[in-house]
Amino acid sequence: MKTKRTLKKILLYLSFVIIGAVMVFPFVWMVATSFKTGAEIYSLNLIPHSPTLENYAKVLKGSDFPRWFLNSFFIAGITTISVLVFDPLLGFAFCKYDFRGKNLIFTMLLSTMMIPTEMMIIPWYMMVNKLGWNNTYWSVLFPGLSSAFGIFLMRQFFTGVPNDLLDVGRIDGLTEFGVYTKIALPLVTPALSALGIFTFLGNWNAFLWPVIALDSKSKYTITLGLAQFSAENLSRWDLIMTGASVATIPIIIIFLIFQRQIIEGIQLTGVKG
């Protein structure tokens, strides 16, 4: 019996290793290719014989990658801050306060989650065109300044905050905003972390709306810039892989730093009801 359990564990771990290797291998190949010379990129060797940083020098100095980096950081950062400010406020209001039309408004809000992003492109573009925001950072920012998913997520977590605890704060003289910031908000920190991380990564990787909203190359995000760079260097796979590696650096850093929060966030968003 013990032997069977041990064998099952070995097979389970072996399957995890194989699946992990299959998923990680393309990324490892991409990074390894970024250090290869043009003559070596078509070789089957994973590790380059003569590693070089020349590709990174060409990408960073011979293109607008630094500018695209700053654009993406600005857009993803502002959007994340906005979501972390407004979504918890709205989630708390929907959870802890009673007002006329509350259920109807919340139901309408949730219904927007069923609409594919592609169907929102035309209304967004008409709004941008009417307000004169064409080819501006604001045109990319405004659709993501608040999200129905974030409001729903925060509302679900605020349901776990006891009302009696909030009443104690009111008795002690806290204002409603003080009750929110000093009592309720600290108790949902894991949800805030998950929401912030997912929002930043989602905006960093966004492509469809930015490619429609932005025309100037100097305003491109990293995803648009990488697509433009790849089109200009169709046969230079060493440079394309280098550009792709540079574009993924922030994602890798975020995962390494916030690995625990990301895993907890996935668990929390899956089981909280």
Side-chain angles (χ1 to χ4, degrees):
M1 191 70 177
K2 187 176 181 180
T3 305
K4 288 185 178 180
R5 290 181 179 177
T6 304
L7 182 61
K8 286 182 179 179
K9 286 185 178 180
I10 293 174
L11 292 176
L12 183 62
Y13 292 146
L14 183 61
S15 64
F16 286 160
V17 170
I18 294 174
I19 294 173
V22 171
M23 295 178 67
V24 171
F25 180 76
F27 173 76
V28 174
W29 186 275
M30 175 186 73
V31 175
T33 303
S34 69
F35 291 101
K36 293 180 179 180
T37 60
E40 195 179 359
I41 58 173
Y42 294 105
S43 67
L44 297 179
N45 299 322
L46 178 61
I47 301 175
H49 292 299
S50 304
T52 177
L53 293 175
E54 183 179 353
N55 295 330
Y56 285 90
K58 289 181 179 179
V59 167
L60 295 176
K61 294 181 179 179
S63 68
D64 292 328
F65 260 91
R67 176 72 181 185
W68 299 333
F69 247 94
L70 291 176
N71 293 340
S72 289
F73 268 118
F74 174 75
I75 293 172
I78 294 297
T79 304
T80 302
I81 292 172
S82 176
V83 165
L84 291 180
V85 169
F86 293 110
D87 287 11
L89 274 171
L90 293 170
F92 184 75
F94 279 116
C95 179
K96 298 301 182 182
Y97 296 107
D98 291 323
F99 50 89
R100 182 176 298 179
K102 168 184 171 180
N103 293 332
L104 177 61
I105 295 173
F106 188 68
T107 301
M108 293 177 63
L109 186 69
L110 288 183
S111 66
T112 63
M113 297 173 60
M114 305 177 191
I115 304 175
T117 303
E118 292 78 6
M119 294 184 64
M120 300 299 295
I121 295 298
I122 294 178
W124 287 347
Y125 185 80
M126 292 175 64
M127 183 184 299
V128 166
N129 190 51
K130 188 172 183 179
L131 295 174
W133 293 345
N134 303 73
N135 195 34
T136 63
Y137 294 125
W138 184 247
S139 65
V140 182
L141 281 168
F142 87 91
L145 294 178
S146 183
S147 68
F149 169 75
I151 296 170
F152 170 74
L153 177 67
M154 297 311 303
R155 177 188 178 275
Q156 294 302 100
F157 275 88
F158 278 125
T159 58
V161 178
N163 291 330
D164 293 341
L165 189 61
L166 304 181
D167 291 335
V168 170
R170 295 185 180 103
I171 293 173
D172 287 341
L174 289 176
T175 63
E176 289 301 314
F177 189 71
V179 168
Y180 165 73
T181 56
K182 296 182 179 180
I183 298 179
L185 205 58
L187 295 177
V188 294
T189 301
L192 283 173
S193 301
L195 180 60
I197 292 170
F198 294 151
T199 300
F200 184 89
L201 293 179
N203 282 275
W204 182 269
N205 293 322
F207 181 81
L208 180 59
W209 175 239
V211 78
I212 295 174
L214 299 174
D215 297 325
S216 300
K217 192 174 180 180
S218 61
K219 291 186 174 67
Y220 278 3
T221 59
I222 193 69
T223 52
L224 302 188
L226 182 59
Q228 177 72 24
F229 182 80
S230 300
E232 294 174 352
N233 298 273
L234 288 175
S235 60
R236 294 298 306 273
W237 287 104
D238 50 341
L239 296 182
I240 293 174
M241 291 300 177
T242 303
S245 299
V246 170
T248 58
I249 288 175
I251 299 177
I252 298 171
I253 294 175
I254 289 175
F255 180 78
L256 292 177
I257 296 176
F258 300 105
Q259 183 177 164
R260 181 174 61 84
Q261 288 85 346
I262 292 174
I263 295 174
E264 287 181 356
I266 294 174
Q267 292 175 341
L268 291 172
T269 54
V271 302
K272 190 66 178 177

